[in-house]
Amino acid sequence: TPKIAFVDDKAGKPVGILTQTDLVRRHSVSAVFLIRDITGKTDYAGLAEVTSEIPTLLAHLVGSGVPAHQIGRMITSIADAVTRRLIVLAQEKLGPAPVPWLWLACGSQGRREQTGVSDQDNCLFLADDYDEDRHGAYFTDFAKFVSDGLDASGYVYCPGDMMATNPRWRQPVSVWRSYFEKWIRVPEPMAQMLASVMFDLRPIDGDFSLHEGLQEHTLAMARQDSIFQSHMIGNSLKHQPPLGLFRGFALIRGGEHKNTIDMKHSGVVPIVDLGRVYALKGAIEPVNTRERLIEATRRNVLSESGGADLLDAFDLISMVRLQHQARQVREGLKPDNFVLPSSLSALERNHLRDAFAVVKSLQSSLGYGRT
């Protein structure tokens, strides 16, 4: 564990040691303070005021050397707190819900991997005694209030409309079960995409019993269906790491982000996709990518060497992405995912190439049925 020694200027003797654990604890407290402030807010503007501090917190976390996966958890904990506060405010406005419900996050929030750039991905599970005619208006207003509040707080609307405001993603549990069963039985391209998103579900607030057993049932079905697994593997290989000939970077060729690397879709997403496939193959319940890779290695779904290499690659790629965002925050810019290779040192570029090569190798192994 990295340590920093503090030395007395006059005596020249060490007077204390600051460890990485101390830094994590300090900034965890900062995140806790933001969450505490969130619980006292009563409107969208108040919540937005708190979440406006997230970029500064992220820059401090990165600058203090906090590991990427811990940063992701801290940043996501704030999104969770905002969601829960909005749910409280929605019920204060609309009254108690007519039937049991459960709000769930998917995407990066579901996996606890949010950074300084996050949209919202969410859905609602409703009890099976839900009746559209009697209860529909309440949950339409409920979902709109929460999603509008998330957008006002900086978690912009999902471009793919993967939100509880979409009636398709606001359904009784029995309908959700039928969704997953159909996606597994008939794995056409859209089903693969939807399954990929929904396999990252994590309950946020409400009646957690509505989710119990569904993930276990779905993973068991997916593990037994080799055709579905093959389709999911093929889908996961669509996101390739940005390596060209002779280990050069394959950069974006045109547009606003010309000559950059997309550290989200070409960087972390290929590993997220691999982790999801390993979870399906091993019926692994955690949705966090790092936890999936660790558990996949423990269960021999992924070889020990492959698992260690991929975990290191994921940590490095994630940190380069976060360091880029932190640098933008310090410069007064809005953080994004597009890194200029020239902004990295030669050593950083070499390490990044090695990490991308690991991902490419594991993708090839998965494509050929080896891990």
Side-chain angles (χ1 to χ4, degrees), residues 229-264:
Q229 285 191 39
S230 296
H231 280 278
M232 287 296 290
I233 289 171
N235 190 57
S236 73
L237 300 181
K238 291 179 181 178
H239 292 108
Q240 292 288 320
L243 285 178
L245 294 175
F246 310 113
R247 281 173 50 88
F249 290 122
L251 305 179
I252 296 174
R253 295 182 177 179
E256 179 185 358
H257 304 294
K258 184 179 180 180
N259 294 328
T260 66
I261 301 170
D262 184 341
M263 294 299 296
K264 178 181 178 180

Side-chain angles (χ1 to χ4, degrees), residues 87-104:
I87 286 171
V88 169
L89 296 176
Q91 291 179 304
E92 289 178 356
K93 177 182 180 182
L94 302 172
V99 298
W101 54 271
L102 178 63
W103 186 280
L104 303 97

